Amino acid sequence: MPTLLVIDDNPSVGTALELLFSLHEIDVERAETPDAGLALLQRGGIDLVIQDMNFHADTTGGDEGVALFREIRDRHPDMPVILLTAWTRLESAVDLVKAGAADYIGKPWDDHKLLASVNNLLELVETRRELAARSAGERGRREAMAHQHDLRGLVYDDLASETVLSLALQVARSELPVLVSGPNGAGKEKYAEIIHYNSAVKSGPFVAVNCGALPSELIEAELFGAEPGAYTGAGSRARVGRFEAADGGTLFLDEIGTLPPAGQVKLLRVLETGRFQRLGGHQERSAKVRVVSATNADLASMIAEGRFREDLYYRLNGIELRLPALARRPRDILPLARHFLPAGRKLGSGAERALLQHPWPGNVRELRNAVQRAALLSGELIEASALGLMPLPSDGTAPGHGDEPDRAMIEAALQRAGGVMAQAAADLGMSRQALYRRLDRYGIPRG
């Protein structure tokens, strides 16, 4: 049951409020002086304060109430405070609301208005507590994860990223080949490194090769090596291929979907047998390699079209890690942006809003470039104009999103929040009650 504190020198006020709130299952503590009220606050267990503005019969200026309010704010900055007085002045109300007062209500008060204000504030208190508890749990998990594993400096704050990271760390301990899928610039190579450096072969080499950058006529030489004179320009020395270089470690095959058919056949044979020959050679060689591959392509569609071998796909895809686009993990945006800033630089509030509203088609790579470019063009404080991002529509909404979330957006927010209603509501920019109404409207279960 929530508890509020009434600080008022008039006992009849305290009695009336205690009766009013007891009828609505809200406990009331009472204090008749500022010092007594501060002492009760220090003891703890208070969710909200209703305080008078004058504590002596001959005072009407409200200075005592202002002093008490500021003392409460200093000692308990998150405590919601409703100011209650018979001597309301618009200037005082505006000033104190700007200073953080939750509401300013005149005596005699309207019971319905006061109850509505208190209930809204208590709901906000509950939401904040849930978010704080969730944040504390997340911090604890992440600190434990960072202590127990080598995360290669991964910066993240979104539950979607934590989910993928947890799976990557589980997968790392096995010998299964891993396929990392996701859009360009989402950080696929970073996760490949995490898998390697938390695996049984972490002391071995980590060798990365971009299959999309290999000329088709040199793919075999790049992957498996070449004997002297095996092809024009090969030179007089043997060339060690990427499989040999990765022996005892991890081979990361980026953009695997671009590998031509001939290269797919040769790669499949090596994955099946662990043996290969250098280009132009006859000696069979072997290498024990953990293979991690990555793609931004729809390999299933490529298989259906005959452009990618199905048997190779199943060899590569012992387990798949699907990296969400940056726009699908919005809580990562600001931590990543701050990570990319040079020392001594800071994002202005307008820049932070612009970063959160941008759709990020280029994902983390685009974010890094935008922030580093802005740092070159700015002083200590980086404003939105320096980021050079696509302007928002005139109504201020992010591209592709209206004011009213649809079913898919709500379900995605619930998934990101792990079913915690307060977090999902905050993600969608609405109250929990508003979220509940939309759950009922779309027939989405509440829990």
Side-chain angles (χ1 to χ4, degrees):
M1 186 178 294
T3 301
L4 61 82
L5 170 63
V6 175
I7 310 176
D8 195 301
D9 63 316
N10 187 341
S12 62
V13 170
T15 300
L17 291 175
E18 187 171 9
L19 177 60
L20 171 66
F21 291 117
S22 67
L23 297 174
H24 295 84
E25 298 186 340
I26 299 173
D27 283 340
V28 174
E29 296 276 356
R30 294 163 56 180
E32 295 185 4
T33 67
D35 287 342
L38 292 169
L40 285 172
L41 278 173
Q42 188 63 33
R43 190 183 67 187
I46 302 297
D47 298 303
L48 183 148
V49 172
I50 298 177
Q51 68 150 88
D52 194 13
M53 293 298 292
N54 298 290
F55 292 92
H56 292 89
D58 57 346
T59 60
T60 60
D63 291 342
E64 294 172 305
V66 171
L68 173 59
F69 169 74
R70 296 194 184 281
E71 190 68 26
I72 293 173
R73 296 294 293 171
D74 287 343
R75 299 188 188 186
H76 310 277
D78 294 327
M79 178 66 64
V81 178
I82 295 176
L83 305 174
L84 194 64
T85 181
W87 305 94
T88 56
R89 292 186 303 172
L90 181 60
E91 298 83 356
S92 300
V94 171
D95 289 344
L96 290 175
V97 168
K98 285 181 178 179
D103 207 346
Y104 194 106
I105 296 176
K107 297 177 183 177
W109 60 84
D110 179 286
D111 282 354
H112 295 292
K113 180 180 178 181
L114 182 57
L115 273 171
S117 180
V118 166
N119 284 326
N120 287 337
L121 290 170
L122 289 175
E123 181 181 340
L124 180 61
V125 168
E126 182 184 354
T127 298
R128 285 176 176 170
R129 284 178 178 165
E130 290 178 2
L131 290 175
R134 179 174 178 79
S135 296
E138 289 176 354
R139 282 196 303 273
R141 287 197 308 273
R142 291 169 188 172
E143 288 171 1
M145 220 180 292
H147 179 72
Q148 297 168 9
H149 304 282
D150 183 351
L151 303 187
R152 310 306 294 170
L154 181 71
V155 175
Y156 70 99
D157 191 46
D158 201 288
L159 183 61
S161 295
E162 183 180 336
T163 301
V164 177
L165 176 60
S166 297
L167 180 57
L169 293 172
Q170 286 181 293
V171 168
R173 295 192 292 268
S174 75
E175 295 184 355
L176 285 174
V178 181
L179 176 64
V180 186
S181 62
N184 282 332
K188 295 187 287 293
E189 184 166 355
K190 175 67 71 176
Y191 279 88
E193 292 178 1
I194 289 171
I195 291 169
H196 170 72
Y197 286 101
N198 293 278
S199 71
V201 296
K202 62 184 178 182
S203 58
F206 176 82
V207 177
V209 54
N210 185 340
C211 298
L214 297 179
S216 58
E217 65 274 11
L218 294 180
I219 286 176
E220 188 174 351
E222 283 288 338
L223 292 180
F224 313 120
E227 297 294 349
Y231 58 92
T232 303
S236 58
R237 299 180 61 183
R239 179 172 185 172
V240 175
R242 302 299 178 93
F243 267 90
E244 283 185 83
D247 189 20
T250 299
L251 178 64
F252 174 53
L253 300 173
D254 198 7
E255 295 190 29
I256 191 67
T258 63
L259 201 63
Q264 293 179 34
V265 172
K266 293 182 182 297
L267 176 59
L268 176 62
R269 180 177 181 277
V270 177
L271 294 178
E272 288 177 337
T273 66
R275 304 188 67 80
F276 59 92
Q277 292 177 348
R278 287 178 178 173
L279 182 64
H282 302 287
Q283 179 185 352
E284 274 208 328
R285 301 173 183 273
S286 64
K288 186 172 179 57
V289 173
R290 170 77 177 276
V291 174
V292 178
S293 53
T295 184
N296 68 329
D298 183 351
L299 295 185
S301 296
M302 293 180 66
I303 291 169
E305 296 166 2
R307 294 187 293 125
F308 199 84
R309 294 183 64 98
E310 187 173 14
D311 46 5
L312 176 58
Y313 172 75
Y314 288 117
R315 277 287 177 182
L316 295 170
N317 188 12
I319 191 164
E320 184 174 358
L321 288 182
R322 297 185 179 183
L323 302 193
L326 182 59
R328 302 290 294 178
R329 41 190 171 110
R331 287 174 54 189
D332 285 350
I333 293 172
L334 293 183
L336 281 167
R338 296 181 185 117
H339 173 72
F340 294 137
L341 280 176
R345 304 297 180 87
K346 183 180 178 182
L347 294 167
S349 58
E352 290 186 346
R353 285 194 299 273
L355 290 171
L356 291 172
Q357 292 168 336
H358 188 66
W360 299 114
N363 294 289
V364 179
R365 187 178 296 123
E366 181 191 3
L367 173 63
R368 180 190 61 203
N369 293 344
V371 169
Q372 292 178 346
R373 180 178 61 244
L376 287 174
L377 301 175
S378 305
E380 181 179 341
L381 186 67
I382 295 176
E383 300 293 354
S385 58
L387 293 167
L389 300 178
M390 178 173 56
L392 290 174
S394 58
D395 62 0
T397 60
H401 295 282
D403 291 334
E404 178 65 22
D406 59 20
R407 181 189 183 98
M409 292 173 65
I410 291 172
E411 289 178 337
L414 287 169
Q415 184 177 12
R416 288 194 298 272
V420 177
M421 293 296 175
Q423 176 64 42
D427 191 4
L428 293 166
M430 62 177 66
S431 69
R432 277 194 312 158
Q433 293 303 321
L435 176 57
Y436 287 142
R437 288 194 295 272
R438 285 158 179 81
L439 293 179
D440 294 340
R441 180 192 307 166
Y442 291 118
I444 301 172
R446 293 191 179 192

